[in-house]
Structures are given as structure tokens and as C-alpha cells.
Amino acid sequence: MPHVFEIHHCEKELRDVCENLGYNLIDPRDSTESVVGMIASSELLLTEAMHGAITADAFRVPWVPVKTNAGIPDFKWADFTQSMEMEFRPNRIFRLARLKKWIPGYSVIDKKILAHGLANLRRSAKVYLSREQCLSDRIDSLRSCLERLRCNYS
């Protein structure tokens, strides 16, 4: 699941790479129902989109954080992973959008580099999934907050 910026700028290339690898590409611009359904039915989610990781974790789908843009700050990811008692260590891979912008007519070699990076992540990256008890505690905490809201505004 790429970040919306990446899919916006390199949709065809990302689709080609995923198709060649036999991966399902989850387009974050699709409907909420479609995105959530695809994440929930995945066996593993490689995701550049933090919301993909959050959704995967909630549905108990193992996930791998991917970072292609050094300019995207890690603090949101770190906040989420720490709240779920996990350590955040993003996996950096090749960024198609940057090259496409700077080098008109870039070669298929670039797609091969991306494909190699994604295949390596699938094989050897640390897989994330919060502990069942941690998720359960967070859900209980949320329910408690919602109940207080209902009481305060009813």
C-alpha cells in the first residue's frame, strides 16, 4: 500500500511492479470499504501509508513499514508504534516518483530496483503486529472514552 503521493505520481509503474511480483496493490484513493476489505484479506501488508498499518494491526494482519521519502517525518509512525508497544524501524526502499520527476524517460531498470526492494522486504523485513493484549487494552480504553462522551452529552 503506497502513500497517496507515490500512487498519484507513479500509478502505472507501481501497478506493473506489483503485478510482476504477484502482489495486490492497495490504492489508498479507493473507497474506504475497498481499502479496508483488501487490507483485512491480506496475509501481509507492505505499507508506506501509516493508516494502512493501523488498519492491518486492528484486523490482525502482519505488516511491514516502508519509507521511500526521507522528507516524511517519523514522529507519527513512532507515536503509533509506541502506543502499541512496538519499536519503529522503517524499511527504506527506492522511490519511483523522485526519479520520474527528475529523469524524463527513466528506464525499466528503476522498476527492477523497486521490485527487488519489495521482494526483499517480503522475504526478510521485520514483520510488525502488536500483542493481542495491547490491542485489547487500547480497544477497552477507547470504549471507556466513548462511554464518558455519551454520558457527558446525553
Side-chain angles (χ1 to χ4, degrees):
M1 182 173 178
H3 187 275
V4 70
F5 175 85
E6 291 296 316
I7 192 97
H8 178 73
H9 291 283
C10 300
E11 181 174 358
K12 182 186 180 334
E13 295 84 358
L14 288 167
R15 289 193 186 282
D16 289 349
V17 167
C18 287
E19 183 178 318
N20 288 338
L21 289 169
Y23 295 178
N24 291 323
L25 181 104
I26 300 174
D27 188 334
R29 301 169 300 178
D30 286 348
S31 71
T32 302
E33 294 79 10
S34 174
V35 171
V36 170
M38 288 184 74
I39 291 171
S41 65
S42 296
E43 65 181 50
L44 175 70
L45 181 70
L46 305 178
T47 183
E48 190 178 14
M50 186 182 71
H51 291 94
I54 293 168
T55 304
D57 207 77
F59 280 97
R60 312 314 294 153
V61 173
W63 53 276
V64 173
V66 177
K67 188 170 182 178
T68 62
N69 184 348
I72 295 176
D74 290 344
F75 74 91
K76 288 181 182 180
W77 278 93
D79 184 54
F80 161 61
T81 54
Q82 288 171 10
S83 75
M84 298 304 288
E85 301 173 358
M86 297 181 284
E87 185 178 354
F88 177 59
R89 293 192 188 273
N91 298 279
R92 300 195 189 284
I93 62 168
F94 183 75
R95 185 173 184 210
L96 275 174
R98 182 183 65 213
L99 246 100
K100 185 175 181 180
K101 179 180 173 185
W102 292 338
I103 305 171
Y106 69 104
S107 71
V108 287
I109 294 171
D110 301 324
K111 287 198 286 188
K112 288 184 181 186
I113 293 169
L114 176 62
H116 179 72
L118 288 173
N120 278 342
L121 286 178
R122 176 79 171 94
R123 280 192 305 272
S124 61
K126 176 186 174 194
V127 174
Y128 286 67
L129 190 62
S130 65
R131 291 179 309 104
E132 196 72 43
Q133 186 60 52
C134 180
L135 179 62
S136 178
D137 291 347
R138 298 309 173 270
I139 291 171
D140 290 345
S141 179
L142 238 146
R143 285 186 177 134
S144 176
C145 288
L146 286 172
E147 188 54 37
R148 283 195 308 273
L149 271 172
R150 277 191 204 110
C151 289
N152 289 340
Y153 293 100
S154 59

